[in-house]
């Protein structure tokens, strides 16, 4: 009978070790999942922040592009005015030269 009790006690120790090992493995698996999810959440937040920065950059770029187009339009308009004034000046100088030749 004593041998049977010793054998049963030894069997209970083996079950205790097995249950402890399974519990430890489960705990470590749970910790791995938690760490993995925290990392995934952090990564998603970083990507969202980067996306927001890209949107702000695109908005600034669009505004700069509009400003540049407006400046180019003004420059072309001013160049046309200058060309018109230069043409009028050439005509006036040509007329004065013609008049001075006729006077001589």
């Amino acid at each position: 009978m004593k041998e049977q009790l010793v054998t049963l006690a030894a069997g209970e120790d083996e079950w205790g070790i097995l249950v402890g090992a399974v519990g430890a493995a489960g705990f470590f698996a749970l910790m791995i999942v938690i760490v993995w999810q925290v990392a995934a959440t952090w990564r998603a937040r970083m990507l969202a922040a980067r996306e927001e920065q890209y949107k702000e950059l695109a908005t600034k770029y669009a505004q700069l592009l509009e400003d540049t187009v407006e400046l180019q339009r003004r420059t072309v308009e001013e160049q046309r005015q200058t060309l018109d004034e230069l043409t009028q000046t050439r005509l006036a100088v040509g007329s004065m030269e013609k008049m001075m030749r006729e006077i001589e």
Side-chain angles (χ1 to χ4, degrees), residues 84-96:
D84 289 344
E85 290 172 1
L86 182 61
T87 303
Q88 290 174 358
T89 305
R90 283 183 181 168
L91 290 174
V93 168
S95 296
M96 284 197 292

Side-chain angles (χ1 to χ4, degrees), residues 31-70:
M31 293 306 292
I32 288 171
V33 169
I34 289 172
V35 168
W36 191 279
Q37 289 302 315
V38 167
T41 302
W42 177 76
R43 192 177 315 124
R45 285 183 183 168
M46 294 300 290
L47 289 174
R50 186 182 304 163
E51 184 70 26
E52 187 63 33
Q53 288 174 346
Y54 285 147
K55 286 180 182 178
E56 290 174 8
L57 205 62
T59 303
K60 287 180 184 178
Y61 176 75
Q63 184 61 39
L64 285 173
L65 187 60
E66 288 177 14
D67 293 346
T68 302
V69 168
E70 179 63 23

Side-chain angles (χ1 to χ4, degrees), residues 97-104:
E97 285 179 355
K98 185 177 179 184
M99 185 176 63
M100 291 177 78
R101 284 185 193 144
E102 289 176 358
I103 292 177
E104 289 181 356

